[in-house]
């Protein structure tokens, strides 16, 4: 009798595991996300608002004293730096993340192919001329970007100086993609789960959700395997990522940003599966920036838990 019960429990556990794996495949995709990727994402988000360099006529955002991201109109689509800046949007971040996922699927190949139909399907976009034009515009923008970053290799720090991507249109709807030398510092065998609804966010008015989805997904992989009582992100880190300065916070007020963030969190709870709570200290700017965002995500927690 006990033997039969044990066998039944094993069957139930096996069925539950299969069901969970199917759920993960249905709702999530795999993409490498580490500090290098997040620095590139932060730079892509912030570079649009940088002043045009007077002599080099480029956009430059400095992440640290020794790390920066640049954009200059080297693609024939952009005749001026002003034209390039007007084309920059969060859609390039979504495309960049998609390209990383395709690269990962292809085993880290030096060259791989982007199929427009597949990308549009992931984004929930109809295949139209305007969509194809935007895709080619986004590829062109990414090809104008170069990065200078530091990367840790065991105990050594290496300096990366590289073009972000190069691309070539092979035929209608197909593009050959090649990442710059920076990709040598990314392992295709290491991945982070990111909810597929990430691609459904609108690049115009959902930029905060796009950035926060990436950050929380990165932190989930790092924090969920640890036996912590809670998992959190400091407001200071959050506002640095999304590019909101202390001056802006003072001007708009704490309640404004609490309201703005809560509207984003509500959507992420529905669309990304996160459970999010925030502290509400607002007596001073220091207190406000020390607030924390507490998060949980049951699928990711189960997936990353130590076996």
């Amino acid at each position: 009798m006990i033997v039969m019960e044990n066998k039944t429990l094993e069957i139930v556990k096996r069925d539950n595991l299969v069901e969970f794996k199917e759920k993960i495949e249905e709702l999530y995709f795999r993409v490498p996300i580490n500090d290098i990727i997040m620095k590139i994402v932060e730079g892509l988000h912030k570079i649009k608002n940088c002043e045009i360099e007077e002599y080099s006529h480029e956009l430059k955002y400095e992440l640290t004293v020794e790390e920066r991201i640049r954009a200059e109109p080297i693609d024939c689509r952009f005749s001026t730096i002003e034209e390039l800046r007007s084309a920059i949007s969060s859609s390039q971040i979504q495309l960049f993340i998609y390209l990383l996922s395709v690269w990962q699927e292809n085993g880290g190949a030096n060259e791989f192919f982007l199929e427009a139909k597949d990308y549009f399907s992931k984004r929930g976009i109809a295949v139209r001329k305007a969509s194809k034009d935007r895709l080619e515009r986004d590829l062109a923008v990414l090809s104008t970007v170069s990065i200078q970053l530091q990367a840790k290799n065991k105990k050594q720090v290496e300096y990366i100086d590289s073009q972000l991507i190069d691309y070539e249109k092979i035929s209608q709807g197909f593009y050959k993609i090649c990442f710059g030398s920076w990709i040598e510092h990314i392992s295709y065998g290491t991945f982070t789960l990111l909810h597929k609804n990430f691609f459904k966010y609108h690049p115009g008015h959902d930029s905060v959700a796009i950035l926060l989805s990436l950050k929380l997904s990165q932190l989930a992989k790092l924090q969920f395997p640890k036996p912590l009582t809670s998992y959190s992100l400091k407001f200071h880190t959050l506002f640095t990522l999304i590019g909101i300065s202390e001056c802006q916070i003072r001007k708009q007020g704490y309640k404004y940003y609490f309201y703005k963030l809560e509207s984003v969190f509500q959507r992420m709870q529905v669309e990304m599966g996160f459970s999010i709570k925030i502290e509400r200290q607002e007596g001073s700017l220091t207190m406000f920036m020390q607030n924390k965002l507490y998060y949980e995500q049951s699928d990711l927690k189960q997936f990353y838990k130590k076996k």
Side-chain angles (χ1 to χ4, degrees):
M1 188 71 173
I2 295 175
V3 174
M4 288 296 294
E5 288 179 355
N6 288 339
K7 285 186 177 180
T8 302
L9 284 173
E10 287 177 8
I11 292 171
V12 171
K13 286 181 180 179
R14 187 174 64 241
D15 289 346
N16 288 343
L17 182 60
V18 170
E19 188 176 316
F20 179 68
K21 287 182 177 179
E22 290 175 349
K23 181 182 181 182
I24 292 296
E25 292 299 320
E26 180 185 355
L27 298 180
Y28 301 86
F29 67 98
R30 302 180 178 198
V31 59
I33 302 176
N34 62 7
D35 288 343
I36 292 175
I37 300 302
M38 289 306 300
K39 286 177 181 178
I40 293 172
V41 166
E42 181 182 346
L44 290 173
H45 172 67
K46 294 179 178 178
I47 199 169
K48 183 182 180 73
N49 296 320
C50 293
E51 294 292 330
I52 296 172
E53 296 289 308
E54 183 178 358
Y55 297 108
S56 60
H57 294 284
E58 65 179 6
L59 296 170
K60 180 175 69 175
Y61 176 73
E62 294 191 349
L63 291 151
T64 66
V65 175
E66 297 179 322
E67 298 178 297
R68 59 197 57 86
I69 183 168
R70 290 187 169 95
E72 53 184 327
I74 57 175
D75 190 282
C76 62
R77 276 179 167 264
F78 311 112
S79 56
T80 66
I81 189 65
E82 291 84 3
E83 190 176 350
L84 170 58
R85 180 159 67 177
S86 67
I88 296 174
S89 79
S90 294
S91 62
Q92 285 108 43
I93 295 175
Q94 291 171 298
L95 175 57
F96 175 60
I97 295 299
Y98 172 80
L99 293 177
L100 280 169
S101 71
V102 176
W103 173 82
Q104 196 267 344
E105 286 177 3
N106 282 271
N110 291 333
E111 294 179 348
F112 58 96
F113 294 94
L114 160 63
E115 182 181 358
K117 281 187 178 180
D118 183 66
Y119 178 62
F120 294 147
S121 175
K122 295 284 195 305
R123 291 286 314 276
I125 297 173
V127 181
R128 297 171 181 162
K129 183 181 183 305
S131 305
K132 295 176 183 177
D133 289 344
R134 282 195 296 272
L135 172 58
E136 293 193 359
R137 178 206 64 184
D138 287 347
L139 285 169
V141 169
L142 291 176
S143 74
T144 69
V145 173
S146 61
I147 57 174
Q148 291 82 42
L149 299 175
Q150 290 182 331
K152 291 182 180 180
N153 184 7
K154 296 181 180 179
K155 294 184 178 180
Q156 294 182 328
V157 176
E158 298 180 0
Y159 190 70
I160 303 171
D161 189 348
S162 169
Q163 185 180 358
L164 187 59
I165 77 159
D166 194 14
Y167 77 100
E168 178 185 352
K169 187 173 184 178
I170 301 301
S171 61
Q172 191 66 32
F174 287 87
Y175 305 85
K176 183 170 70 175
I177 308 294
C178 182
F179 286 133
S181 60
W182 63 270
I183 198 66
E184 297 170 6
H185 298 272
I186 309 297
S187 171
Y188 70 85
T190 303
F191 64 88
T192 300
L193 290 181
L194 185 62
H195 202 290
K196 291 179 180 179
N197 280 338
F198 167 82
F199 289 120
K200 303 299 174 63
Y201 284 124
H202 190 281
H205 50 253
D206 290 334
S207 60
V208 174
I210 289 170
L211 293 169
L212 192 55
S213 297
L214 292 171
K215 189 63 182 176
L216 291 188
S217 296
Q218 180 199 22
L219 289 177
K221 182 178 180 179
L222 296 174
Q223 293 188 345
F224 282 171
K226 300 176 182 178
L228 304 176
T229 55
S230 63
Y231 306 92
S232 63
L233 174 67
K234 291 181 179 179
F235 268 32
H236 181 272
T237 303
L238 171 58
F239 281 101
T240 298
L241 174 65
I242 63 180
I244 303 296
S245 68
E246 292 184 356
C247 181
Q248 289 173 285
I249 295 171
R250 286 193 185 97
K251 183 178 180 180
Q252 296 285 357
Y254 309 131
K255 286 183 172 60
Y256 171 81
Y257 284 105
F258 275 130
Y259 174 77
K260 188 172 183 178
L261 288 175
E262 282 177 341
S263 64
V264 174
F265 299 157
Q266 287 171 6
R267 288 193 60 189
M268 289 185 65
Q269 291 186 107
V270 175
E271 298 164 349
M272 305 290 286
F274 281 98
S275 174
I276 298 174
K277 296 179 180 179
I278 59 174
E279 292 179 329
R280 295 191 66 96
Q281 300 181 84
E282 53 182 279
S284 67
L285 181 62
T286 301
M287 291 175 64
F288 178 78
M289 296 301 272
Q290 287 177 345
N291 281 321
K292 291 182 180 180
L293 177 161
Y294 295 95
Y295 66 95
E296 290 275 356
Q297 215 279 12
S298 58
D299 290 341
L300 298 184
K301 196 167 185 178
Q302 181 176 346
F303 185 84
Y304 292 129
K305 71 178 180 181
K306 288 186 177 181
K307 303 294 187 291

